[in-house]
Amino acid sequence: MAMTSILSADDIKKALDSFAAVDSFDHKKFFEVVGLKALSAEEVKKAFLVLDADNSGFIEEEELKFMLKGFSSSGRDLTDQETKAFLNAADKDGDGKIGVEEFTALVKE
């Protein structure tokens, strides 16, 4: 499934363009601009499945680094600092990875 089956291509482009600069990523603003925040929990879970590249049921730190590419192949890689900040915000149980419920809760904050 492509992210464009869940979100509009225009919103994805706008969000990626907004955070194109290195160290500019802010997950709360990104989720709002890309349109995830306005979706139902079920739709957010579908987006999670797209981002879970290895289908493990979790987004691990290495997958998180490439998260923007899950929205579009033109997305940049997150820096180590951005990746750690995002992981720390989402990983509520401290296991070093983000589950679907953690991701959904983060989007809906």
Side-chain angles (χ1 to χ4, degrees), residues 63-79:
E63 288 172 309
L64 197 55
K65 183 176 182 98
F66 306 114
M67 186 201 75
L68 296 180
K69 290 186 185 314
F71 289 87
S72 170
S73 60
S74 65
R76 70 173 176 86
D77 295 347
L78 295 179
T79 65

Side-chain angles (χ1 to χ4, degrees), residues 47-60 63:
F48 174 89
L49 295 174
V50 173
L51 299 174
D52 178 18
D54 65 0
N55 298 313
S56 67
F58 297 95
I59 300 173
E60 292 86 9
E63 288 172 309

Side-chain angles (χ1 to χ4, degrees), residues 2-75:
M3 198 61 81
T4 52
S5 68
I6 304 165
L7 300 165
S8 91
D10 288 342
D11 286 346
I12 292 171
K13 181 176 178 357
K14 186 165 114 181
L16 291 176
D17 288 350
S18 295
F19 299 99
V22 171
D23 288 326
S24 67
F25 185 74
D26 176 316
H27 65 274
K28 289 181 182 182
K29 291 178 187 172
F30 180 81
F31 292 152
E32 190 168 324
V33 174
V34 82
L36 269 177
K37 199 166 183 73
L39 297 180
S40 70
E42 281 306 308
E43 293 294 304
V44 171
K45 288 176 183 180
K46 289 179 186 175
F48 174 89
L49 295 174
V50 173
L51 299 174
D52 178 18
D54 65 0
N55 298 313
S56 67
F58 297 95
I59 300 173
E60 292 86 9
E61 187 171 345
E62 193 59 30
E63 288 172 309
L64 197 55
K65 183 176 182 98
F66 306 114
M67 186 201 75
L68 296 180
K69 290 186 185 314
F71 289 87
S72 170
S73 60
S74 65

